[in-house]
Amino acid sequence: MTSSPIPYGRQQIDQHDIDAVVAVLGAEFLTQGPVVGQFEQALATYCGAQHAIAVNSATSALHIACLALGVGPGDIVWTSAITFVASANCAIYCGASVDFVDIDPVSYNMSVPQLREKLETARKAGKLPKVVIPVHMTGQSCDMQSIHQLGQEFGFKIIEDASHAVGARYQGKAVGCGRYSDITVFSFHPVKIITSGEGGMALTNDELLARSLRRLRSHGLTGNAPEMDPRPEDELWNYQQVELGFNYRITDIHAALGLSQMRHLDDFVRARNDLARRYDELLVNLPLSTPAQASDSYSSYHLYVVRLSLPQIRKTQKEVFRELHARGIMVNLHYIPVYLQPFYQRMGFARGQCPEAERYFKEALSIPLYPGLTREAQDRTIATLSEVLQG
Ligand SMILES: *Cc1c(COP(=O)(O)O)cnc(C)c1O
């Protein structure tokens, strides 16, 4: 019997999702219709945020979030060393420079002590960041209360890259509520918690930031009179371009899928947590460490990252990766430290800058985790992992 490969993550689509998309195809508006607003309202309400602005990807949301916070040439943005490249690229899009904070060895999130130390050094050098972008790695919230306190002390704004963390909770509140940040960004790429095909959203409690995000999503245009320049009485101006924006709009087709998926958000996250608990129990005797969870956090478990105890394994991380793939367990690596990417190396970032992130990079593997992962597939994953690590 041959069994099909088990991916590290995948979407779950039901007939309701399909019907919701098909309904839009037969409706009046394919884009900029009513469904985008409904999707925004649903997620804002879910998170307890005042405003939500849907766009065509989390990457776009991060870009306009930086712009809305005034990031431009000469500014500095910091993010975590272990994240997807988009968390850093957004600053480069704005002409700003970027730098990386090392990770916490337990949560793999941005390390608060490292952040403080780096801020103190930067203050002396007059090079404080304008914006810091903590990333809720694997779906577990960063220590946002402490990062927010540092923001007050050192005067930076905060964008939460919550691409992994829709449906997660921190200190009893939904990630996205904005208690400790200016803007929160979610991704709806198919491997993430809920999907719209491609899509993202920016949430904020600040009315002016919300207006700015809406303009930047659509060419810098506004039809709202208070945002427009006054014009002669006899000229017809029902909209104006007041700044340089982009076409980052999401379509009603995509929004319909995202909105329909929201019906399952809590179930998806619960299923991911149940599978994670099962991994925690069944992997306990293998030469690896399972992910630790902070007591004030409920993770959405976008990823289940194990760290190989390499001294106890007669193989390299790469050999383990290849053998698992050869046996149909499609593990992945999240992530290579961003500053080791050739693009960032060419900017002059040196190997060794974030030792904890580099240690993590040599040991981490994301094993399959998604709501539709069956018990049989999970058992096969565990058995194969056991054979490969102990063989
Ligand atoms: C997926 C992801 C993004 C980008 O999301 P897109 O919607 O694909 O643009 C950004 N940051 C992190 C941490 C991600 O995992």
Side-chain angles (χ1 to χ4, degrees), residues 55-62 82-88 133-138 161-164 185-192 197-201 302-303 334-335:
V55 288
N56 58 4
S57 72
T59 303
S60 302
L62 287 165
I82 295 293
T83 183
F84 184 57
V85 294
S87 318
I133 308 180
V135 181
H136 303 318
M137 182 63 191
T138 76
D161 184 344
S163 293
H164 297 184
V185 168
F186 293 124
S187 171
F188 312 120
H189 182 279
V191 295
K192 306 287 166 70
E198 294 276 5
M201 211 176 297
H302 164 51
L303 300 171
H334 300 95
Y335 299 91

Side-chain angles (χ1 to χ4, degrees), residues 79-83 101-104 107-112 115 132-148 158-165 168-171 173 175-176 180-181 293-294 296-299:
T79 189
S80 180
I82 295 293
T83 183
V101 183
D102 206 353
I103 60 167
D104 176 275
S107 68
Y108 316 144
N109 280 326
M110 180 181 282
S111 157
V112 172
L115 176 60
V132 172
I133 308 180
V135 181
H136 303 318
M137 182 63 191
T138 76
Q140 176 170 220
S141 177
C142 296
D143 178 356
M144 288 309 300
Q145 185 172 3
S146 301
I147 295 172
H148 179 255
I158 300 171
I159 301 170
E160 291 176 68
D161 184 344
S163 293
H164 297 184
R169 304 184 74 79
Y170 171 66
Q171 294 186 345
K173 289 199 161 79
V175 168
Y180 296 118
S181 66
Q293 297 299 306
D296 58 358
S297 154
Y298 174 66
S299 177

Side-chain angles (χ1 to χ4, degrees), residues 216-269:
L216 290 164
R217 163 175 75 178
S218 194
H219 308 281
L221 295 174
T222 180
N224 179 32
E227 294 170 59
M228 291 165 65
D229 280 0
R231 291 285 164 172
E233 279 291 339
D234 59 345
E235 286 181 10
L236 174 59
W237 287 85
N238 60 345
Y239 70 88
Q240 289 181 357
Q241 184 189 349
V242 294
E243 64 189 317
L244 185 64
F246 305 86
N247 180 355
Y248 282 169
R249 294 185 303 263
I250 190 170
T251 70
D252 264 37
I253 306 167
H254 293 86
L257 179 54
L259 179 62
S260 175
Q261 286 259 297
M262 277 204 64
R263 294 172 310 123
H264 294 304
L265 176 51
D266 287 336
D267 292 340
F268 285 170
V269 171

Side-chain angles (χ1 to χ4, degrees), residues 45 81 84-85 105 107 142-143 146 156 168 177 202 206 215 226 237 248 260 277 281 307 367 369 384 388:
T45 302
F84 184 57
V85 294
S107 68
C142 296
D143 178 356
S146 301
F156 58 80
C177 71
D206 183 313
R215 286 193 306 268
W237 287 85
Y248 282 169
S260 175
R277 288 292 81 75
E281 284 161 25
R307 283 182 74 164
I367 65 175
L369 183 65
T384 311
V388 169

